[in-house]
Amino acid sequence: MSTGSQAGALPAYLRIAEHLTIEIGAGRLAAGDRLPPERSLAARYGVSMMTLRKALGVVTERGLIERRRGSGNYVLGGARHVGTYALFRLESVPDGGGLPTAELLSLDRIPKPDDLADIGTAPEGWRIRRLRALDGRPVAVEEIWLDGRYEGLRTDHLSESLYKTYAERLDLTIARAEDRVGVGPLPGWAPETLRLAPGTTMGLVERRSFDQYGKPAEASRSWFAPDRARYYARVP
């Protein structure tokens, strides 16, 4: 089964929470920094005060900020990036950051290709193809393979965060990942909205991900435009 429709978007409050989490994790909002006033943040994100405060509540629960009565919201020391996109490594050029979003291009259960990394013993796998954007600008395409031992995946299950979908639908937690970074040609299935010709030399991230039991579960390739995005890996 295939679809050109967009996967379920994260709610507005979660998008805001993710953006703030990314900014804190990258150090652009440092320990002790005071966030802009809530009304200013709500206007910046184009949401109501209720939505903005719900987002701030999520970031507070993650231990990244604290609210000081009569003073505002402040970034806490020792904050770690623990959000939905904690393992997403692409950021905008030239300033970094950017809120990741994803558009589902196709979902198919098919035999695994011979060159696929070991992700389990099932003869078939789920192949997921997506277009990735940062702050609404297309920057990459990705092809993800999930082992076929996981059953019942459907397009209407997939949110912008696959790891969130895995946890909620498949009882699968991606605990760690190994990345290899290089270059490679843009595949022919990339959509026209990326505005790059097939075969264009792209940055390439090859990832193998492991479940909560240490077993391989997923492999992916992400082709990104190096003039639009960079790969970042930060060590605490």
Side-chain angles (χ1 to χ4, degrees):
M1 55 184 166
S2 298
T3 180
S5 61
Q6 184 166 350
L10 292 176
Y13 79 93
L14 276 182
R15 289 190 177 209
I16 296 167
E18 290 307 320
H19 185 254
L20 291 172
T21 298
I22 289 168
E23 293 298 288
I24 293 169
R28 284 181 289 274
L29 290 172
D33 283 355
R34 180 178 181 271
L35 298 185
E38 292 182 2
R39 290 192 181 279
S40 297
L41 281 176
R44 177 187 301 177
Y45 289 116
V47 298
S48 68
M49 288 291 291
M50 181 181 297
T51 298
L52 188 278
R53 285 172 177 161
K54 191 173 182 180
L56 294 177
V58 172
V59 184
T60 300
E61 289 176 0
R62 291 174 177 171
L64 302 180
I65 64 173
E66 67 173 356
R67 181 177 178 82
R68 300 177 188 172
R69 183 177 295 274
S71 180
N73 297 286
Y74 290 81
V75 178
L76 293 176
R80 296 181 59 203
H81 185 164
V82 294
T84 300
Y85 295 112
L87 294 178
F88 187 76
R89 299 301 189 195
L90 296 183
E91 296 187 9
S92 296
V93 170
D95 299 324
L99 178 63
T101 53
E103 178 184 345
L104 179 66
L105 302 175
S106 66
L107 169 66
D108 299 282
R109 185 182 174 96
I110 57 177
K112 294 174 180 174
D114 292 337
D115 62 349
L116 183 66
D118 175 25
I119 58 171
T121 59
E124 293 187 337
W126 296 98
R127 187 188 67 188
I128 304 164
R129 288 175 171 172
R130 304 197 299 176
L131 173 69
R132 299 305 302 253
L134 291 169
D135 288 338
R137 184 189 189 194
V139 299
V141 291
E142 61 186 7
E143 181 174 280
I144 302 132
W145 283 86
L146 182 68
D147 190 49
R149 68 182 182 269
Y150 300 101
E151 297 287 347
L153 203 59
R154 303 200 314 252
T155 56
D156 59 336
H157 289 167
L158 300 181
S159 73
E160 286 182 328
S161 168
L162 287 183
Y163 290 174
K164 183 173 182 287
T165 297
Y166 295 167
E168 293 177 351
R169 297 284 183 175
L170 305 177
D171 193 27
L172 165 62
T173 299
I174 298 299
R176 67 182 180 91
E178 298 174 352
D179 287 352
R180 295 190 303 173
V181 183
V183 296
L186 182 67
W189 53 263
E192 293 182 359
T193 47
L194 189 61
R195 298 185 181 277
L196 290 170
T200 299
T201 299
M202 307 283 282
L204 174 62
V205 181
E206 297 178 283
R207 168 173 291 183
R208 191 160 69 126
S209 303
F210 299 81
D211 67 14
Q212 61 267 45
Y213 308 108
K215 296 180 179 179
E218 181 202 63
S220 66
R221 291 178 179 174
S222 299
W223 295 264
F224 65 93
D227 61 333
R228 305 178 196 174
R230 298 282 170 81
Y231 176 91
Y232 284 82
R234 295 182 175 88
V235 179

